Amino acid sequence: MSGQSLLVPGELSPTRSVPGNIRRPEYVGKPAPTPYTGPEVQTPETVEAMRVAGRIAARAMEEAAKHIAPGVTTDELDRVAHEYMCDHGAYPSTLGYRGYPKSLCSSVNEVICHGIPDSTVLRDGDIVNLDVTAYIGGVHGDNNATYLVGDVDEESRLLVERTRESLARAIKAVKPGRQINIIGRVIESYAKRFGYGVVRDFTGHGINTSFHSGLIVPHYDSPHATTVIQPGMTFTIEPMLTLGTHEYDMWDDGWTVVTKDRRRTAQFEHTLVVTDSGADILTLP
């Protein structure tokens, strides 16, 4: 295990502005989004709009990732992704979602998810997850990936590699007619081979005109996840694997989720549409 010191909250920069001509999601400026009541199966037109949003999100994440290096702050990564999305006519979906203050999530080392970009400086040997969602054309595209910072220890490198592989295996398991718990079954069985924890309380989700539609996609084998997968459904898969326990603590900011044993964790995510034969990834750069 890496000998890095544990993360502490940094200083937040002022809220970044979005040009006035860029359409905002309905929840901006409100304490919570309006609950989604529409279908989980989307029209071809909505799917194609999501492909545009997904491509922008993927490219914004890719652009921010180019700047990952020891000495760079997570706030700088947020700036890069924010400017990329705005320059391409998209609104950063996380900005103002339930009061979240930034345009991406940056989760370093023991942070499972929802880390807030701030003055935290990346160090040689860190791992950092970037979670970027773009809103354009009335729909969202959501993706994330975990990156290595400089020279990373073997245990952490393998965790990242295997978490990426768990997502790939889960995507291959998506087929119409199967229950959605096939996704968690595949992820959990793979993770158990290496003794990894699988985070249970943060999941994949339905996504479309709504950032989170209400559809839950567990990453463990849940007997309750009996929704039948249908062509045209759109949702995310975003496994979070840990070197130790899957249990967590929440920072006082109400967002940053860290492993209870403070061991490292990695995550990868794509937005998908179900096809007649499997799944099509909508968040490709």
Side-chain angles (χ1 to χ4, degrees):
M1 180 180 170
S2 170
Q4 294 278 41
S5 58
L6 296 178
L7 207 66
V8 295
E11 296 294 322
L12 284 181
S13 64
T15 302
R16 293 191 161 86
S17 62
V18 177
N21 64 318
I22 292 178
R23 179 179 172 185
R24 272 75 170 151
E26 58 83 23
Y27 52 74
V28 174
K30 294 163 53 176
T34 302
Y36 178 72
T37 56
E40 297 297 343
V41 172
Q42 304 304 310
T43 66
E45 292 76 18
T46 297
V47 170
E48 288 313 303
M50 289 180 66
R51 198 182 302 278
V52 173
R55 185 178 302 122
I56 291 172
R59 289 177 176 171
M61 184 174 74
E62 198 174 62
E63 197 61 35
K66 291 176 185 175
H67 294 75
I68 291 173
V72 174
T73 65
T74 54
D75 187 67
E76 172 64 9
L77 304 179
D78 182 79
R79 182 193 66 77
V80 173
H82 176 93
E83 292 183 0
Y84 186 93
M85 285 185 273
C86 291
D87 287 348
H88 290 81
Y91 185 91
S93 300
T94 58
L95 185 61
Y97 180 78
R98 297 184 181 272
Y100 187 84
K102 292 295 174 182
S103 299
L104 59 70
C105 299
S106 56
S107 301
V108 180
N109 295 345
E110 70 269 19
V111 180
I112 295 171
C113 58
H114 304 158
I116 301 174
D118 59 18
S119 61
T120 296
V121 175
L122 296 176
R123 303 161 297 181
D124 187 62
D126 283 343
I127 59 175
V128 58
N129 177 275
L130 301 183
D131 192 337
V132 180
T133 310
Y135 178 79
I136 188 171
V139 297
H140 301 266
D142 185 3
N143 68 162
N144 77 56
T146 303
Y147 300 90
L148 310 181
V149 184
D151 185 18
V152 175
D153 68 89
E154 182 74 354
E155 185 178 46
S156 299
R157 188 188 65 76
L158 285 172
L159 173 68
V160 170
E161 182 181 298
R162 290 164 176 167
T163 305
R164 183 190 293 111
E165 175 64 15
S166 77
L167 173 59
R169 289 174 179 234
I171 291 170
K172 287 179 182 174
V174 173
K175 305 284 184 189
R178 291 179 170 177
Q179 291 185 345
I180 214 156
N181 59 8
I182 186 66
I183 293 166
R185 188 174 309 137
V186 166
I187 292 167
E188 188 171 46
S189 63
Y190 179 71
K192 279 184 172 178
R193 286 166 50 180
F194 311 104
Y196 296 153
V198 180
V199 172
R200 301 168 77 89
D201 291 349
F202 300 90
T203 68
H205 53 88
I207 184 171
N208 38 64
T209 57
S210 173
F211 194 171
H212 299 88
S213 72
L215 175 68
I216 301 298
V217 183
H219 302 121
Y220 65 98
D221 188 4
S222 169
H224 307 296
T226 56
T227 299
V228 175
I229 298 170
Q230 302 175 61
M233 289 176 72
T234 50
F235 53 82
T236 72
I237 304 176
E238 45 189 298
M240 292 151 263
L241 305 187
T242 67
L243 288 176
T245 182
H246 69 269
E247 295 181 348
Y248 67 93
D249 293 321
M250 179 85 73
W251 279 8
D252 291 342
D253 61 22
W255 285 103
T256 306
V257 180
V258 296
T259 53
K260 189 170 277 292
D261 57 10
R262 303 302 190 266
R263 298 195 71 193
R264 288 188 168 189
T265 175
Q267 182 184 19
F268 284 84
E269 173 186 25
H270 275 305
T271 295
L272 314 171
V273 60
V274 181
T275 67
D276 290 337
S277 58
D280 186 12
I281 299 172
L282 299 177
T283 39
L284 291 174

